[in-house]
Amino acid sequence: MNRIIALAAAAALSLAAAPFATPALATTIIKAGHGTQTAHPTHIALQKFADIVAEKSKGDLKIEIYPDRQLGEEREMVEGLQLGTVDMAVVSTGPLVAFVPALGTVDLPFLFKSSEHAYKVLDGEVGQDLLAKFQDRGIVGLAWWENGWRSLTSKKEVKSPADLKGMKLRTMQNPVHIAAFKELGASPIPMVWGEVFTSLSQGVIDAQENPVTIVYSNSLWEVQKYMTLTRHVYGPHLVLFSQQVWDRLTPAQQTILKEALMEATTFQRQTSARLETEQLKLLADKGMIVEQVDITPFQEATANTASAFKNIDPAVVAKIKAAAN
């Protein structure tokens, strides 16, 4: 009995002398959704972003990526940001005008002269002011990524606005885009992206408009014969975060995310430009007829699109156009 007591006492002393074990810190997981395929530059850049965040946070933060509308269609993801059920999302401007009407400004046709012009505006005062407007909607606007320059795809050849007359053309659920295509003579049909391929194959719609990377990564050459390089709208992707989730992060974690996004933004834009060039050639290899077109009549037909929208400030439009100089 004395031996048992002695052993117990020794064990107790040993435990008392041992240093307390430091509990493992729990990893904060951030679920990031987007609506594009895994071959799209936004998905590739999110992977890069996740790697940077993991390295900078030493594993404290982990980004889990959910592509191809796994967290819902784009509008559903934005609503999820407001509710705190979606942590982070990268979405096109299509559904966002309903939340921040002034965002329609960047959707005006032929507003930007080049990608460099767009970057200058979106990374500058105009773009940052637009991102700040999301705060009133319970969303943190963090960065402007690139979906690309939007062009037309169709079942028949399009050389001028006259060729669009009566054409059933899918657009995003974006009133600015819808108004522009009405001015061009088309019959725009707003439709969520998940329905587009089937609608094209079944003849519900005749045409659609999107950047090269979307056309290629979704195999639209199977249901569209022509791609007309109108490049009528520069299409951003916005990196958004739920305000509820953001506020639960520490200041240090928020800083890591912002710094990582700066690196990932440059990478995303470079990847977008590279893939557009590569995939334009691949579309032709797949049998799609890719054509240049004189955009002047398209510009003239849509010159007054902005005047129909009270939330588009002419002074801001003038500032954007002046930045091209």
Side-chain angles (χ1 to χ4, degrees), residues 161-178:
D163 296 322
L164 288 171
K165 186 174 181 179
M167 185 179 287
K168 295 178 291 184
L169 185 148
R170 180 267 176 180
T171 69
M172 293 193 293
Q173 295 166 305
N174 183 316
V176 179
H177 287 191
I178 293 168

Side-chain angles (χ1 to χ4, degrees), residues 42-54 65 260 263-264 267-268:
T42 284
H43 182 79
I44 297 169
L46 277 170
Q47 292 176 313
K48 176 79 167 180
F49 172 66
D51 291 341
I52 298 170
V53 168
I65 306 166
E263 293 184 46
F267 174 81
Q268 198 270 349

Side-chain angles (χ1 to χ4, degrees), residues 33-305:
H34 66 90
T36 59
Q37 302 282 351
T38 55
H40 191 276
T42 284
H43 182 79
I44 297 169
L46 277 170
Q47 292 176 313
K48 176 79 167 180
F49 172 66
D51 291 341
I52 298 170
V53 168
E55 181 180 355
K56 285 181 175 290
S57 70
K58 297 180 172 57
D60 177 43
L61 291 169
K62 180 182 179 182
I63 309 296
E64 290 184 351
I65 306 166
Y66 295 83
D68 198 19
R69 311 183 314 280
Q70 290 181 28
L71 299 185
E73 294 287 352
E74 288 191 321
R75 185 184 179 99
E76 293 170 335
M77 283 191 281
V78 177
E79 291 170 345
L81 293 174
Q82 292 181 305
L83 295 170
T85 56
V86 174
D87 302 334
M88 178 180 176
V90 185
V91 299
S92 63
T93 55
L96 293 176
V97 178
F99 298 86
V100 178
L103 200 66
T105 305
V106 300
D107 280 316
L108 288 171
F110 305 105
L111 177 67
F112 295 107
K113 301 301 182 184
S114 65
S115 295
E116 291 70 29
H117 178 203
Y119 303 157
K120 182 179 179 181
V121 170
L122 299 177
D123 293 340
E125 180 184 352
V126 171
Q128 298 312 298
D129 285 348
L130 287 171
L131 288 180
K133 292 182 185 297
F134 282 97
Q135 186 172 2
D136 292 337
R137 297 296 184 180
I139 297 171
V140 181
L142 289 173
W144 296 90
W145 282 8
E146 182 168 280
N147 194 18
W149 290 90
R150 306 183 76 87
S151 287
L152 295 170
T153 70
S154 55
K155 294 180 179 179
K156 69 174 188 177
E157 192 174 33
V158 175
K159 290 287 191 181
S160 71
D163 296 322
L164 288 171
K165 186 174 181 179
M167 185 179 287
K168 295 178 291 184
L169 185 148
R170 180 267 176 180
T171 69
M172 293 193 293
Q173 295 166 305
N174 183 316
V176 179
H177 287 191
I178 293 168
F181 279 105
K182 284 182 178 178
E183 291 176 327
L184 286 166
S187 297
I189 300 175
M191 183 184 293
V192 295
W193 181 245
E195 300 174 4
V196 173
F197 190 94
T198 301
S199 296
L200 287 169
S201 64
Q202 294 178 349
V204 176
I205 51 177
D206 306 310
Q208 66 87 52
E209 49 86 48
N210 254 306
V212 170
T213 49
I214 293 290
V215 173
Y216 181 78
S217 61
N218 287 274
S219 305
L220 291 192
W221 65 82
E222 296 179 2
V223 288
Q224 298 274 263
K225 183 176 181 179
Y226 294 93
M227 182 163 196
T228 307
L229 299 178
T230 50
R231 293 171 67 87
H232 50 270
V233 168
Y234 174 81
H237 262 171
L238 280 82
V239 182
L240 306 174
F241 216 94
S242 168
Q243 184 75 60
Q244 294 183 42
V245 178
W246 185 260
D247 290 343
R248 291 200 293 266
L249 300 175
T250 67
Q253 289 173 326
Q254 293 174 355
T255 297
I256 286 170
L257 292 173
K258 288 180 178 179
E259 291 178 350
L261 266 178
M262 290 179 66
E263 293 184 46
T265 296
T266 300
F267 174 81
Q268 198 270 349
R269 290 170 175 173
Q270 291 171 344
T271 303
S272 179
R274 174 178 61 82
L275 288 179
E276 179 177 311
T277 300
E278 294 174 1
Q279 291 174 357
L280 201 55
K281 295 176 182 177
L282 291 172
L283 286 172
D285 291 341
K286 294 289 185 180
M288 205 170 204
I289 299 172
V290 180
E291 296 185 325
Q292 298 285 346
V293 65
D294 179 8
I295 63 170
T296 303
F298 293 87
Q299 289 175 310
E300 291 173 348
T302 57
N304 295 319
T305 302

Side-chain angles (χ1 to χ4, degrees), residues 297-323:
F298 293 87
Q299 289 175 310
E300 291 173 348
T302 57
N304 295 319
T305 302
S307 62
F309 297 92
K310 63 180 180 180
N311 292 303
I312 294 179
D313 186 347
V316 175
V317 174
K319 187 181 292 187
I320 291 172
K321 290 182 177 180

